[in-house]
Amino acid sequence: MAGARKPGRNFLFVPGPTNIPDRILRAMHVAMEDHRSSDFPKLTLPLFEDIKKIFKTKDGQVFIYPSSGTGAWEAALTNTRSPGDKMLAARFGQFSHLWIDLARRHGLEVIVQEEEWGTGASPERIEEALRADKNHEIKGVMVVHNETATGVTSDVAAVRRAMDAAKHPALLYVDGVSSIASLDFRFDEWGVDLAITGSQKGLMLPAGLGIVCVSPKALAAMKDAKCRRCYFDFTDHMKANPNGYFPYTPAVPLLYGLRESIAILQEEGLDNVFARHHHLAAGARAAVKAWGLKICAKEPKWHSDTVTAIMVPQGFNGADVIDRAYRRYNLALGAGLSQVAGKLFRIGHSGDLNELMLLGAISGTEMAMRDVGIEVALGSGVGAAQAQFRGAAEAKEMKVAAE
Ligand SMILES: *Cc1c(COP(=O)(O)O)cnc(C)c1O
């Protein structure tokens, strides 16, 4: 870490990058090798198959880029669209905003549905807009599944139902960067056409892999897509990937890390991973309630299980809490972005995480808030989260005993 040495581990509670399990760190600690060797496909071919299980797809095709999630956004759009194409996108936070901005810079005409920050995509409004689009000029619907800036999860299955109800052929583009491998995500079942993720969130890796899952319908859209593309062109990957190769140098250590990440996720079981995130998030939300503060998500249906955005009281700056937490307690919290800069700070609770780790973060947050003058009772959030964790555990044990 930059700066003076701080003993003990840094408490990394930004919503990404997340903590990297030691097993993954060790798996990535490899000598460089020839990525064109006859052995290399032994690593890559199973990876292409196994990553599909994380997206929950049989028919989808996965592309892996040496990029961050932003590159995957670009890949999804440029491979399937032409300049001037109309897109429908809901905007309710910095990430949905940035994706719309990227689409516009590639010449797409994005119809933006503004939603209040703290809420998410509205299936009703999407259905209405699609029904009104009689000539099917809208080519795609863009949804950020988990808006990391505000801690809001949208209902992707409901968006698909809205598209089907409107009998509209638009493709469904989903940003799952902070949801996939942490929250329930079903590519095939939800009829997602392009889903995007990055390596540094639920996959518990460093940033550096941008991953796109593409439906057969979206692959077919490639033949008419005229957006300029080179580095991210699916076509080059489609030539090399079936034999286990890439059109250019892949991020080899990250691929070893991805193999270990998938193994870890499968050992725990994806459904258990989702349940664990839900359990931890409930503890974080209980702490916020005990502090007498509000979270950014307006209603329980929007609650994100990977990140909680906490509104600071009037007259305080979230950035001060974050700075204090970092400098004094070696605790990294997420900042408020754009519209909500200073108004909130975020506790990320995604990836390789357990109850006591999160209690540490809640404890440090409490102290940092007190240090900057926010009147929260010391121990109140920790106690509420402990009670939440124990209550849920007791309920589970009773259920097990009764079975
Ligand atoms: C982190 C994130 C991204 C991608 O960010 P990169 O820094 O490019 O990896 C995109 N969307 C969401 C919702 C995110 O949380």
Side-chain angles (χ1 to χ4, degrees):
M1 197 189 321
R5 175 181 146 75
K6 293 173 182 163
R9 282 208 171 181
N10 169 242
F11 273 65
L12 183 63
F13 280 82
V14 295
T18 65
N19 293 292
I20 304 179
D22 293 346
R23 267 176 66 182
I24 293 184
L25 286 172
R26 284 195 294 272
M28 291 188 303
H29 195 89
V30 290
M32 288 306 105
E33 66 182 274
D34 176 11
H35 59 279
R36 312 232 186 247
S37 80
S38 57
D39 275 334
F40 198 60
K42 291 195 188 94
L43 166 67
T44 51
L45 289 177
L47 259 190
F48 281 118
E49 272 316 299
D50 291 342
I51 188 77
K52 286 165 68 169
K53 296 176 190 139
I54 307 296
F55 284 90
K56 294 209 175 135
T57 186
K58 283 203 161 61
D59 305 332
Q61 184 159 345
V62 175
F63 298 96
I64 305 174
Y65 297 96
S67 82
S68 80
T70 301
W73 272 349
E74 181 160 328
L77 293 174
T78 56
N79 278 286
T80 54
R81 299 275 56 103
S82 303
D85 277 1
K86 277 196 184 143
M87 304 292 278
L88 181 67
R91 177 158 56 191
F92 41 82
Q94 183 65 358
F95 290 94
S96 38
H97 167 72
L98 288 173
W99 197 16
I100 289 165
D101 179 59
L102 184 148
R104 286 180 166 160
R105 292 204 229 169
H106 280 287
L108 304 187
E109 194 184 311
V110 187
I111 305 163
V112 177
Q113 289 185 333
E114 302 289 355
E115 304 293 351
E116 190 185 358
W117 288 35
T119 72
S122 159
E124 297 77 25
R125 289 188 68 198
I126 290 170
E127 183 176 338
E128 203 182 315
L130 294 178
R131 279 187 194 281
D133 179 41
K134 297 269 183 273
N135 298 330
H136 295 167
E137 285 175 14
I138 295 171
K139 300 299 177 199
V141 175
M142 292 158 61
V143 181
V144 173
H145 184 203
N146 188 71
E147 176 51 83
T148 320
T150 57
V152 160
T153 304
S154 288
D155 186 345
V156 175
V159 171
R160 165 47 69 193
R161 285 196 295 275
M163 295 171 71
D164 290 348
K167 299 193 171 56
H168 200 289
L171 297 181
L172 177 55
Y173 295 71
V174 179
D175 171 341
V177 181
S178 65
S179 63
I180 289 168
S182 303
L183 307 180
D184 189 17
F185 188 87
R186 308 176 192 194
F187 187 88
D188 286 356
E189 194 182 319
W190 294 349
V192 177
D193 290 298
L194 292 112
I196 290 135
T197 195
S199 46
Q200 77 273 28
K201 302 205 173 153
L203 292 172
M204 309 170 287
L205 294 161
L209 296 179
I211 306 174
V212 189
C213 186
V214 187
S215 74
K217 188 176 160 195
L219 281 180
M222 279 177 67
K223 67 177 189 329
D224 303 318
K226 304 226 160 33
C227 277
R228 287 276 184 102
R229 55 188 184 270
C230 169
Y231 187 76
F232 290 111
D233 201 326
F234 290 161
T235 324
D236 300 324
H237 287 253
M238 287 165 87
K239 283 181 200 145
N241 288 174
N243 301 319
Y245 297 104
F246 292 89
Y248 34 67
T249 318
V252 175
L254 286 171
L255 296 178
Y256 281 101
L258 181 60
R259 184 171 74 179
E260 195 66 14
S261 161
I262 294 171
I264 289 173
L265 290 165
Q266 286 182 335
E267 280 166 34
E268 186 175 353
L270 271 184
D271 289 339
N272 294 328
V273 172
F274 305 152
R276 175 169 53 82
H277 282 92
H278 181 69
H279 177 72
L280 293 171
R285 290 189 288 261
V288 180
K289 197 169 166 212
W291 291 330
L293 300 178
K294 286 203 157 47
I295 62 173
C296 185
K298 303 280 176 202
E299 287 174 68
K301 70 169 180 176
W302 302 120
H303 284 172
S304 166
D305 284 341
T306 58
V307 52
T308 298
I310 299 149
M311 309 303 297
V312 290
Q314 281 277 324
F316 293 96
N317 188 336
D320 295 336
V321 179
I322 295 164
D323 192 53
R324 181 69 186 173
Y326 183 73
R327 290 184 177 282
R328 175 71 177 80
Y329 303 110
N330 205 3
L331 165 65
L333 300 169
L337 304 170
S338 174
Q339 258 189 46
V340 288
K343 294 184 187 160
L344 60 76
F345 64 87
R346 296 172 295 154
I347 300 181
H349 32 76
S350 166
D352 188 43
L353 202 69
N354 61 26
E355 291 164 336
L356 292 192
M357 290 162 79
L358 183 54
L359 284 170
I362 292 170
S363 167
T365 304
E366 230 160 50
M367 291 195 284
M369 284 196 290
R370 271 293 285 268
D371 293 350
V372 303
I374 300 175
E375 301 247 336
V376 294
L378 290 179
S380 59
V382 172
Q386 286 172 328
Q388 172 70 36
F389 291 156
R390 292 195 63 247
E394 271 168 24
K396 199 171 167 193
E397 273 152 26
M398 274 153 61
K399 191 165 160 270
V400 170
E403 271 163 6

